[in-house]
Coordinates of all heavy atoms in Angstrom, one line a residue:
M1 N 273.7 100.7 113.9 CA 272.9 99.9 113.0 C 272.6 98.5 113.6 O 271.5 98.0 113.5 CB 273.5 99.8 111.7 CG 272.7 99.0 110.7 SD 273.6 98.9 109.1 CE 272.6 100.1 108.2
C2 N 273.6 97.9 114.3 CA 273.5 96.6 114.8 C 272.9 96.5 116.2 O 273.3 97.3 117.1 CB 274.9 95.9 114.8 SG 274.9 94.2 115.5
A3 N 272.0 95.6 116.4 CA 271.3 95.5 117.8 C 271.7 94.1 118.4 O 271.2 93.8 119.4 CB 269.8 95.6 117.6
H4 N 272.7 93.4 117.8 CA 273.1 92.1 118.3 C 274.0 92.3 119.5 O 274.7 93.3 119.7 CB 273.8 91.3 117.2 CG 273.0 91.0 116.1 ND1 273.2 91.5 114.8 CD2 271.9 90.2 116.0 CE1 272.3 91.0 114.0 NE2 271.5 90.2 114.7
N5 N 274.0 91.3 120.4 CA 274.9 91.3 121.5 C 275.7 90.0 121.5 O 275.2 88.9 121.7 CB 274.0 91.4 122.8 CG 274.9 91.6 124.0 OD1 276.0 92.0 123.9 ND2 274.3 91.5 125.2
P6 N 277.0 90.1 121.4 CA 277.9 91.3 121.2 C 277.6 91.8 119.8 O 277.2 91.1 118.9 CB 279.3 90.8 121.3 CG 279.2 89.3 120.9 CD 277.8 88.9 121.3
P7 N 277.9 93.1 119.6 CA 277.6 93.8 118.3 C 278.5 93.2 117.2 O 279.6 92.8 117.4 CB 277.9 95.2 118.6 CG 278.7 95.3 119.8 CD 278.4 94.1 120.6
C8 N 277.9 93.2 116.0 CA 278.7 92.8 114.8 C 279.8 93.8 114.5 O 279.7 95.0 114.9 CB 277.7 92.7 113.6 SG 276.5 91.4 113.8
P9 N 280.8 93.4 113.8 CA 281.9 94.3 113.4 C 281.3 95.4 112.5 O 280.4 95.2 111.7 CB 282.9 93.4 112.6 CG 282.5 92.0 112.9 CD 281.1 92.0 113.3
T10 N 281.9 96.6 112.6 CA 281.4 97.7 111.7 C 281.9 97.5 110.3 O 282.7 96.6 110.0 CB 282.0 99.0 112.2 OG1 283.4 99.0 112.1 CG2 281.6 99.3 113.7
A11 N 281.3 98.3 109.4 CA 281.7 98.2 108.0 C 283.2 98.6 107.8 O 283.8 98.2 106.8 CB 280.8 99.1 107.1
E12 N 283.8 99.3 108.7 CA 285.1 99.8 108.5 C 286.1 98.8 109.2 O 287.3 98.8 108.9 CB 285.4 101.1 109.2 CG 284.6 102.3 108.5 CD 283.1 102.3 108.8 OE1 282.7 101.8 109.9 OE2 282.4 102.8 107.9
A13 N 285.6 97.8 109.9 CA 286.5 96.8 110.6 C 287.1 95.8 109.6 O 286.4 95.5 108.6 CB 285.7 96.1 111.7
P14 N 288.3 95.3 109.9 CA 288.9 94.4 109.0 C 288.1 93.0 108.9 O 288.1 92.3 107.9 CB 290.3 94.1 109.6 CG 290.4 95.0 110.8 CD 289.2 95.7 111.0
D15 N 287.3 92.7 110.0 CA 286.6 91.5 110.0 C 285.1 91.7 109.7 O 284.2 91.0 110.2 CB 286.7 90.8 111.4 CG 286.2 91.6 112.6 OD1 286.1 92.8 112.4 OD2 286.1 91.1 113.6
R16 N 284.8 92.8 108.9 CA 283.4 93.2 108.6 C 282.6 92.0 108.0 O 281.4 92.0 108.2 CB 283.4 94.4 107.6 CG 284.0 94.1 106.3 CD 284.0 95.3 105.4 NE 285.1 95.2 104.5 CZ 286.3 95.9 104.6 NH1 286.4 96.7 105.6 NH2 287.2 95.8 103.8
E17 N 283.2 91.0 107.4 CA 282.5 89.9 106.8 C 281.9 89.0 107.8 O 281.0 88.1 107.5 CB 283.4 89.1 105.9 CG 283.9 89.9 104.7 CD 285.0 89.2 103.9 OE1 285.3 88.0 104.2 OE2 285.5 89.9 103.0
A18 N 282.3 89.2 109.1 CA 281.7 88.3 110.2 C 280.4 88.8 110.7 O 279.8 88.2 111.6 CB 282.7 88.3 111.3
A19 N 279.9 89.9 110.2 CA 278.6 90.4 110.6 C 277.5 89.5 110.2 O 277.6 88.8 109.2 CB 278.3 91.8 110.0
R20 N 276.4 89.5 110.9 CA 275.3 88.6 110.6 C 274.5 89.0 109.4 O 274.3 90.2 109.2 CB 274.3 88.5 111.8 CG 274.9 87.9 113.0 CD 273.8 87.7 114.1 NE 274.4 87.3 115.3 CZ 273.7 87.0 116.4 NH1 272.4 87.0 116.3 NH2 274.3 86.6 117.5
P21 N 274.1 88.1 108.5 CA 273.3 88.5 107.3 C 271.9 88.9 107.7 O 271.2 88.3 108.6 CB 273.3 87.3 106.5 CG 273.7 86.1 107.4 CD 274.4 86.7 108.5
L22 N 271.4 90.0 107.1 CA 270.0 90.4 107.3 C 269.1 89.9 106.2 O 268.0 89.6 106.3 CB 269.9 92.0 107.3 CG 270.6 92.6 108.5 CD1 270.4 94.2 108.4 CD2 270.0 92.2 109.8
A23 N 269.7 89.9 105.0 CA 269.0 89.4 103.8 C 270.0 88.5 103.0 O 271.2 88.9 102.9 CB 268.5 90.5 102.9
H24 N 269.6 87.4 102.5 CA 270.5 86.5 101.8 C 269.8 86.1 100.5 O 268.6 85.6 100.5 CB 270.8 85.3 102.6 CG 271.7 84.3 102.0 ND1 273.0 84.6 101.7 CD2 271.5 83.0 101.7 CE1 273.5 83.5 101.1 NE2 272.6 82.5 101.1
R25 N 270.4 86.4 99.3 CA 269.8 86.0 98.0 C 270.8 85.2 97.3 O 271.5 85.7 96.4 CB 269.4 87.3 97.3 CG 268.4 88.2 97.9 CD 267.0 87.5 97.9 NE 266.0 88.4 98.5 CZ 265.6 88.2 99.7 NH1 266.0 87.3 100.5 NH2 264.6 89.0 100.2
P26 N 270.9 83.9 97.6 CA 271.9 83.0 96.9 C 271.7 82.9 95.4 O 272.6 82.8 94.7 CB 271.7 81.7 97.6 CG 270.4 81.7 98.3 CD 270.1 83.2 98.6
E27 N 270.4 83.0 95.0 CA 270.1 82.9 93.5 C 270.7 84.1 92.8 O 270.9 84.1 91.6 CB 268.6 82.8 93.3 CG 267.8 84.0 93.6 CD 267.4 84.2 95.0 OE1 267.8 83.4 95.9 OE2 266.7 85.2 95.3
Q28 N 270.9 85.2 93.5 CA 271.5 86.4 92.9 C 273.0 86.6 93.3 O 273.6 87.5 92.8 CB 270.7 87.7 93.3 CG 269.3 87.6 92.7 CD 268.5 88.8 93.2 OE1 268.9 89.7 94.0 NE2 267.2 88.9 92.7
G29 N 273.4 85.8 94.3 CA 274.8 85.9 94.7 C 275.2 86.9 95.6 O 276.4 87.4 95.7
W30 N 274.3 87.4 96.5 CA 274.7 88.4 97.5 C 274.0 88.3 98.8 O 273.0 87.6 98.9 CB 274.4 89.8 96.9 CG 273.0 90.1 96.6 CD1 272.4 89.9 95.4 CD2 271.9 90.6 97.5 NE1 271.0 90.3 95.5 CE2 270.7 90.7 96.7 CE3 271.9 90.9 98.8 CZ2 269.5 91.1 97.3 CZ3 270.7 91.4 99.4 CH2 269.5 91.5 98.6
S31 N 274.5 88.9 99.8 CA 273.9 89.0 101.2 C 274.1 90.4 101.7 O 275.2 91.0 101.5 CB 274.6 88.0 102.1 OG 274.4 86.7 101.8
L32 N 273.1 90.9 102.4 CA 273.2 92.2 103.1 C 273.5 91.9 104.5 O 272.8 91.2 105.2 CB 271.9 93.0 103.0 CG 271.9 94.3 103.7 CD1 272.9 95.3 103.2 CD2 270.5 94.9 103.7
L33 N 274.7 92.4 105.0 CA 275.1 92.1 106.4 C 274.5 93.2 107.3 O 274.2 94.3 106.9 CB 276.6 92.1 106.4 CG 277.3 91.0 105.5 CD1 278.8 91.1 105.7 CD2 276.7 89.6 105.7
C34 N 274.5 92.9 108.6 CA 274.0 93.7 109.6 C 274.7 95.1 109.7 O 274.1 96.1 110.0 CB 274.1 93.0 111.0 SG 273.5 93.9 112.3
N35 N 275.9 95.2 109.2 CA 276.7 96.4 109.3 C 276.5 97.2 108.0 O 277.2 98.2 107.8 CB 278.2 96.1 109.5 CG 278.8 95.1 108.5 OD1 278.1 94.8 107.5 ND2 280.0 94.7 108.8
G36 N 275.6 96.8 107.1 CA 275.3 97.6 105.9 C 276.1 97.2 104.7 O 276.0 97.7 103.6
V37 N 277.0 96.2 104.9 CA 277.9 95.8 103.8 C 277.1 94.8 102.9 O 276.4 93.9 103.4 CB 279.1 95.1 104.3 CG1 280.0 94.4 103.2 CG2 280.0 96.0 105.1
L38 N 277.2 95.0 101.6 CA 276.6 94.1 100.6 C 277.8 93.2 100.2 O 278.8 93.6 99.6 CB 276.1 94.9 99.4 CG 275.0 94.2 98.6 CD1 273.8 94.0 99.4 CD2 274.7 95.1 97.4
F39 N 277.6 91.9 100.6 CA 278.7 90.9 100.4 C 278.3 90.0 99.2 O 277.2 89.4 99.2 CB 278.9 90.1 101.7 CG 280.0 89.1 101.6 CD1 281.3 89.5 101.6 CD2 279.7 87.7 101.5 CE1 282.3 88.6 101.5 CE2 280.7 86.8 101.5 CZ 282.0 87.2 101.4
F40 N 279.2 89.9 98.2 CA 278.9 89.1 97.0 C 279.6 87.7 97.1 O 280.7 87.6 97.7 CB 279.3 89.8 95.8 CG 278.6 91.1 95.6 CD1 279.1 92.3 96.0 CD2 277.3 91.1 95.0 CE1 278.4 93.5 95.9 CE2 276.6 92.2 94.8 CZ 277.1 93.4 95.3
E41 N 279.0 86.7 96.5 CA 279.6 85.3 96.6 C 281.0 85.2 96.0 O 281.7 84.3 96.3 CB 278.6 84.3 96.0 CG 278.5 84.3 94.6 CD 277.6 83.2 94.0 OE1 276.8 82.6 94.8 OE2 277.7 82.9 92.8
D42 N 281.4 86.1 95.1 CA 282.7 86.1 94.6 C 283.7 86.8 95.6 O 284.9 87.0 95.2 CB 282.8 86.8 93.2 CG 282.6 88.3 93.3 OD1 282.3 88.9 94.3 OD2 282.8 88.9 92.2
T43 N 283.3 87.1 96.8 CA 284.0 87.8 97.9 C 284.2 89.3 97.7 O 284.9 89.9 98.4 CB 285.3 87.1 98.2 OG1 286.3 87.3 97.2 CG2 285.2 85.6 98.5
G44 N 283.6 89.9 96.6 CA 283.6 91.3 96.5 C 282.6 91.9 97.5 O 281.7 91.2 98.0
E45 N 282.8 93.2 97.8 CA 281.9 93.9 98.8 C 281.6 95.3 98.3 O 282.4 95.9 97.6 CB 282.6 94.0 100.1 CG 283.0 92.6 100.7 CD 283.9 92.7 101.9 OE1 283.9 93.8 102.6 OE2 284.6 91.8 102.2
L46 N 280.4 95.8 98.7 CA 280.0 97.2 98.5 C 279.8 97.7 99.9 O 278.9 97.2 100.6 CB 278.8 97.3 97.6 CG 278.3 98.7 97.3 CD1 279.3 99.5 96.6 CD2 277.0 98.6 96.5
L47 N 280.6 98.7 100.3 CA 280.4 99.2 101.6 C 279.3 100.3 101.7 O 279.0 100.9 100.6 CB 281.8 99.8 102.1 CG 283.0 98.9 102.1 CD1 284.2 99.6 102.6 CD2 282.7 97.6 102.9
P48 N 278.8 100.6 102.8 CA 277.7 101.5 102.9 C 278.0 102.9 102.4 O 277.1 103.6 101.9 CB 277.4 101.6 104.4 CG 277.9 100.4 105.0 CD 279.1 100.0 104.1
D49 N 279.3 103.3 102.4 CA 279.6 104.6 101.9 C 279.9 104.6 100.4 O 280.3 105.6 99.8 CB 280.8 105.2 102.7 CG 282.1 104.4 102.5 OD1 282.1 103.4 101.7 OD2 283.1 104.7 103.1
G50 N 279.7 103.5 99.7 CA 279.8 103.4 98.3 C 281.2 102.9 97.8 O 281.3 102.6 96.6
R51 N 282.1 102.7 98.8 CA 283.4 102.1 98.3 C 283.2 100.7 97.9 O 282.4 99.9 98.4 CB 284.4 102.2 99.5 CG 284.9 103.6 99.8 CD 286.0 103.6 100.8 NE 285.3 103.2 102.1 CZ 285.9 102.6 103.1 NH1 287.1 102.3 103.1 NH2 285.2 102.4 104.2
I52 N 284.0 100.3 97.0 CA 284.0 98.9 96.4 C 285.3 98.2 96.9 O 286.4 98.7 96.8 CB 284.0 98.9 94.9 CG1 282.7 99.6 94.4 CG2 284.1 97.5 94.3 CD1 282.6 99.9 93.0
I53 N 285.1 97.0 97.4 CA 286.2 96.1 97.8 C 286.2 95.0 96.7 O 285.2 94.2 96.6 CB 286.0 95.5 99.2 CG1 285.8 96.5 100.3 CG2 287.2 94.6 99.5 CD1 286.9 97.5 100.5
A54 N 287.3 94.9 96.0 CA 287.4 93.9 94.9 C 287.4 92.5 95.5 O 287.8 92.3 96.7 CB 288.7 94.1 94.2
P55 N 287.0 91.5 94.7 CA 287.0 90.1 95.2 C 288.4 89.7 95.7 O 289.4 90.1 95.1 CB 286.6 89.3 93.9 CG 285.8 90.3 93.1 CD 286.4 91.6 93.4
H56 N 288.4 88.9 96.7 CA 289.7 88.5 97.3 C 289.7 87.1 97.7 O 290.0 86.7 98.8 CB 290.0 89.4 98.5 CG 288.9 89.6 99.5 ND1 287.9 90.5 99.3 CD2 288.6 89.0 100.6 CE1 287.0 90.4 100.3 NE2 287.4 89.5 101.1
R57 N 289.3 86.2 96.7 CA 289.4 84.8 97.0 C 290.8 84.3 97.1 O 291.7 84.9 96.5 CB 288.8 84.0 95.8 CG 287.3 84.2 95.6 CD 286.8 83.3 94.5 NE 285.6 83.7 94.1 CZ 284.8 83.0 93.4 NH1 285.1 81.8 93.0 NH2 283.6 83.5 93.0
P58 N 291.0 83.3 97.9 CA 292.4 82.7 98.0 C 292.7 82.1 96.7 O 291.9 81.7 95.9 CB 292.3 81.7 99.1 CG 290.8 81.4 99.2 CD 290.1 82.6 98.8
L59 N 294.0 82.0 96.4 CA 294.5 81.4 95.2 C 294.5 79.9 95.2 O 294.8 79.2 94.2 CB 295.9 81.9 94.8 CG 296.0 83.4 94.5 CD1 297.4 83.8 94.2 CD2 295.1 83.7 93.2
T60 N 294.3 79.2 96.3 CA 294.2 77.8 96.4 C 292.8 77.3 96.6 O 292.0 78.0 97.2 CB 295.1 77.2 97.5 OG1 294.6 77.8 98.7 CG2 296.6 77.6 97.3
T61 N 292.5 76.1 96.0 CA 291.2 75.6 96.2 C 291.3 74.1 96.5 O 292.2 73.4 96.0 CB 290.3 75.8 95.0 OG1 290.9 75.1 93.9 CG2 290.1 77.3 94.6
A62 N 290.3 73.6 97.1 CA 290.3 72.1 97.4 C 290.2 71.3 96.1 O 290.7 70.2 96.0 CB 289.2 71.8 98.4
A63 N 289.4 71.9 95.2 CA 289.2 71.2 93.9 C 290.6 71.0 93.1 O 290.7 70.1 92.3 CB 288.3 72.0 93.0
R64 N 291.5 71.9 93.4 CA 292.8 71.7 92.7 C 293.8 71.1 93.7 O 295.0 71.2 93.4 CB 293.3 73.1 92.3 CG 292.5 73.7 91.3 CD 293.1 75.0 90.8 NE 292.3 75.5 89.7 CZ 292.2 76.8 89.4 NH1 293.0 77.7 90.0 NH2 291.5 77.2 88.4
G65 N 293.4 70.4 94.7 CA 294.3 69.7 95.6 C 295.1 70.6 96.4 O 296.2 70.2 96.9
G66 N 294.7 71.9 96.6 CA 295.4 72.8 97.4 C 296.6 73.5 96.7 O 297.4 74.2 97.3
R67 N 296.8 73.2 95.4 CA 297.9 73.8 94.7 C 297.5 75.3 94.3 O 296.3 75.6 94.1 CB 298.2 73.0 93.4 CG 298.7 71.7 93.8 CD 298.9 70.9 92.5 NE 297.6 70.4 92.2 CZ 297.3 69.8 91.0 NH1 298.3 69.5 90.2 NH2 296.1 69.4 90.8
K68 N 298.5 76.1 94.2 CA 298.3 77.5 93.8 C 297.8 77.5 92.3 O 298.3 76.8 91.5 CB 299.5 78.3 93.9 CG 299.8 78.6 95.4 CD 300.9 79.6 95.5 CE 301.0 80.0 97.0 NZ 302.0 81.0 97.2
A69 N 296.9 78.4 92.0 CA 296.4 78.6 90.6 C 297.5 79.4 89.9 O 298.2 80.3 90.4 CB 295.1 79.4 90.6
T70 N 297.7 79.0 88.6 CA 298.6 79.7 87.8 C 297.8 80.6 86.8 O 296.9 80.2 86.1 CB 299.5 78.7 87.0 OG1 300.1 77.9 87.9 CG2 300.5 79.5 86.1
V71 N 298.2 81.9 86.7 CA 297.5 82.8 85.8 C 298.4 82.9 84.6 O 299.5 83.3 84.6 CB 297.4 84.2 86.5 CG1 296.7 85.2 85.5 CG2 296.6 84.1 87.8
L72 N 297.8 82.6 83.4 CA 298.5 82.7 82.2 C 298.2 84.0 81.5 O 297.0 84.4 81.4 CB 298.1 81.5 81.2 CG 298.3 80.1 81.8 CD1 297.8 79.1 80.8 CD2 299.8 79.9 82.0
T73 N 299.2 84.7 81.0 CA 299.0 86.0 80.3 C 299.4 85.9 78.9 O 300.1 85.1 78.5 CB 299.7 87.1 81.0 OG1 301.1 86.8 81.1 CG2 299.2 87.3 82.4

């Protein structure tokens, strides 16, 4: 699928998010990557074969001063 040199990582590769975007729709919160992965701004992904990768944001943010977020249940 990719014609870039060097080629973008495949959809199965652990670094699949490093592929170049083909379409970017920030107002809708998604990008279509060169490897066919639909990447969402919440870090979730939809792979070309239909598998879903749940969002995987880090638990620390600069807004919180780098402290870990606490989840209350």
Side-chain angles (χ1 to χ4, degrees):
M1 180 182 257
C2 177
H4 297 113
N5 190 12
C8 293
T10 66
E12 293 77 28
D15 61 345
R16 64 182 150 257
E17 296 169 8
R20 294 185 188 187
L22 294 179
H24 181 64
R25 298 290 182 260
E27 71 280 1
Q28 295 177 357
W30 60 267
S31 295
L32 176 63
L33 304 181
C34 182
N35 55 10
V37 172
L38 205 58
F39 182 72
F40 297 95
E41 73 178 17
D42 70 353
T43 69
E45 300 169 27
L46 180 60
L47 302 183
D49 64 4
R51 287 183 291 151
I52 297 169
I53 307 295
H56 48 277
R57 290 186 200 197
L59 292 177
T60 59
T61 62
R64 294 188 177 155
R67 292 176 285 174
K68 288 192 175 184
T70 304
V71 178
L72 302 175
T73 56

